[in-house]
Amino acid sequence: MIRRRPLRAVALAALACLAGAALADPPSDDLRPPHEFTYDVNGVTTVTLMAAKSKILVGNTPYTSLVFNDDYDAPLIRTRPGGTIRLTLDNRMDEMTNLHFHGMQVSPLDDGDSIFRTTGPHEKGQYVLRLPDDHSPGPYWYHSHFHDGAEHQVSGGLAGPILVDGITDQFPELKAVRERALVLRNFQKTFTGALASEIVTGAPSIRTINGQFQPIIRIHPGETQLWHLFNIAANQYFRIRIDGVHMQLISQDADTVVKPIGVDEMLIGPSARVSILVTGPAPGSYPLKLGSANTGPAGDTYAAAVLGTLVSSGEPMKTVAITSPYPAVADLRKVAPAHRRRFVFQDSDSDPNAFFINGRQFDIGRVDTTVMLGDVEEWTLVNPSQELHQFHIHQLDFQVTKINGKDVDFIGYRDNVFIPALGSTTVLIPFTDPVILGKFVYHCHIMEHEDGGMMQVIQVVRPEEYEQAVKLEPLGGIYGDNQMCVYLRNTGGAALTPPANASRPLGSTPEGKP
């Protein structure tokens, strides 16, 4: 936000001196893929992420920052539907941290995707994620979700990509095409050679792809490539185009679209991901352009830049077209919502660092919303502020139906969407998968706003538990801190089992846990 802190104007003026420095650097060599952890024959991906303050290169510029495994280009975690991720978070920092596995449809209970767990300084945390057999393929990401520290840690580098294989199973004709991961982020420039002590949204920054500054991406004329683009920046919007190159959208937020969608430009908000098909143009060089962005009168302005260059050369190749049918996805507008709710995402009038949902700031010990498993709900997200907000809910996806009251064409689901300044966005959310039973959060994914309080807690419960769960909202709900034994004490119930007609299994309880 432009109003962020009294020192902001001074900081911006000073940092402006650095704005053109990186542009003078020569472009790097061909785009390097991220280092990768992948799965074994049993579908298990074993990962160790060491979080530490390290000396790194951001593009071509040396910095000291908070990163995973001593590299600003964090490793890619590859898994598959039905697979398992076993991850050790080795925290060698002098501050707490944790992890969220953004967009993944996995359990928030026990050692799964719970943002209520933290790993203390110089301690280790364990995560086990069991993907349902029908988990949606495509790009996801992991990142710090430690409240009041997420913006700083993610800006420094504590974030990385996840790729769930399977898109080429939906479209077998794509199995032979080259697949690329393009991980987008920005790093605030400083005079100190270290991560900024204060993150100033909109300040001059180094924008990179896979940690590289303006890399060359090579393609043959006519060649088809499958690109997965991940926006893992804390706050920045990426508006991307390649002049003269038409692209085809395959998925948004790892949800495969339901029909052919051509795009010339993509606005990829904070936390969003897209998968696209790119066809090699006539021989030549084509800049991958980042357009300027403005999030509103009270928001941030991001300067235009060149992120990289697509170089088309070599022998022409045959273009691959999609011939398989697109997946059938239920249009939730045909379902009568069980509840209609209204959420107001609002900036404080008096405190530039305070943000609210329905007049409340985040309280980790309180539940704000209780939903019954099996319900589809309509949520209207209202933004009376003079800047964009970016809505995200954990554990599941939703369908956008209206923006500013106007119907939106149905092309599939997603897990985040912008709420226009002085406007509204309406979504339909299916709370139907038993894997989401538990407690998690929804929030603005501009991390400055999230850390400032624009986040709330939701619990999804079985219908017979609903009344008790609502009564327990002020005390943190029936799940406590999301550990199974606390849940069972509060409900007096038996271990969780999915309904007989469940479309996805619930991850089994780790051996030795109550």
Side-chain angles (χ1 to χ4, degrees), residues 74-364:
L76 182 147
I77 299 173
R78 186 180 292 271
T79 183
R80 70 184 190 194
T84 298
I85 299 173
R86 295 187 177 274
L87 187 148
T88 299
L89 175 59
D90 183 0
N91 182 10
R92 301 191 184 183
M93 303 184 296
D94 296 328
E95 57 190 84
M96 284 188 175
T97 192
N98 67 359
L99 283 177
H100 167 50
F101 302 88
H102 184 112
M104 302 197 76
Q105 300 102 40
V106 294
S107 175
L109 293 171
D110 290 303
D111 50 3
D113 182 27
S114 173
I115 61 93
F116 300 97
R117 301 169 52 213
T118 57
T119 300
H122 306 285
E123 294 181 353
K124 292 183 180 181
Q126 303 294 331
Y127 294 85
V128 181
L129 306 183
R130 298 168 180 82
L131 278 67
D133 291 339
D134 61 348
H135 194 286
S136 181
Y140 300 84
W141 64 299
Y142 58 90
H143 63 85
S144 164
H145 211 292
F146 177 55
H147 183 60
D148 206 25
E151 180 191 28
H152 191 255
Q153 292 184 354
V154 171
S155 294
L158 293 183
I162 300 171
L163 192 59
V164 178
D165 285 341
I167 285 184
T168 57
D169 293 328
Q170 295 176 329
F171 303 109
E173 56 271 29
L174 300 180
K175 285 186 180 292
V177 306
R178 183 170 186 179
E179 188 173 18
R180 293 184 183 269
L182 282 73
V183 183
L184 311 174
R185 65 167 104 207
N186 68 320
F187 188 93
Q188 182 175 317
K189 297 179 181 180
T190 69
F191 290 110
T192 64
L195 172 63
S197 57
E198 175 191 347
I199 302 302
V200 182
T201 54
S205 63
I206 304 172
R207 287 76 168 266
T208 57
I209 304 177
N210 298 356
Q212 297 174 252
F213 179 73
Q214 295 184 346
I216 292 172
I217 306 170
R218 298 191 180 276
I219 195 169
H220 286 260
E223 179 188 1
T224 302
Q225 294 187 2
L226 173 59
W227 291 10
H228 305 291
L229 290 90
F230 307 74
N231 181 354
I232 67 171
N235 302 303
Q236 171 146 4
Y237 286 80
F238 284 83
R239 185 184 298 277
I240 291 178
R241 68 178 298 118
I242 308 173
D243 289 339
V245 178
H246 186 68
M247 298 163 282
Q248 183 175 349
L249 181 68
I250 297 299
S251 79
Q252 51 183 2
D253 300 334
D255 285 290
T256 307
V257 296
V258 299
K259 59 185 178 181
I261 304 290
V263 293
D264 294 312
E265 181 177 272
M266 298 168 291
L267 178 63
I268 309 174
S271 83
R273 297 88 59 215
V274 297
S275 297
I276 58 174
L277 291 182
V278 178
T279 301
S285 296
Y286 300 81
L288 178 59
K289 296 180 178 179
L290 171 64
S292 60
N294 187 317
T295 63
D300 302 300
T301 299
Y302 297 97
V306 173
L307 289 176
T309 303
L310 180 68
V311 174
S312 179
S313 62
E315 292 296 318
M317 295 178 62
K318 183 179 179 180
T319 300
V320 178
I322 289 181
T323 55
S324 299
Y326 285 78
V329 177
D331 185 342
L332 298 175
R333 290 174 294 190
K334 299 176 182 178
V335 178
H339 294 279
R340 288 183 168 89
R341 304 182 194 257
R342 186 174 185 267
F343 296 90
V344 179
F345 288 68
Q346 190 164 13
D347 299 4
S348 170
D349 292 330
S350 58
D351 183 350
N353 300 314
F355 304 88
F356 303 87
I357 300 176
N358 287 353
R360 285 176 157 182
Q361 288 188 288
F362 177 66
D363 181 346
I364 198 170

Side-chain angles (χ1 to χ4, degrees), residues 61-79:
T61 307
Y63 276 96
T64 299
S65 191
L66 305 176
V67 297
F68 290 122
N69 298 1
D70 295 321
D71 197 338
Y72 183 62
D73 183 25
L76 182 147
I77 299 173
R78 186 180 292 271
T79 183

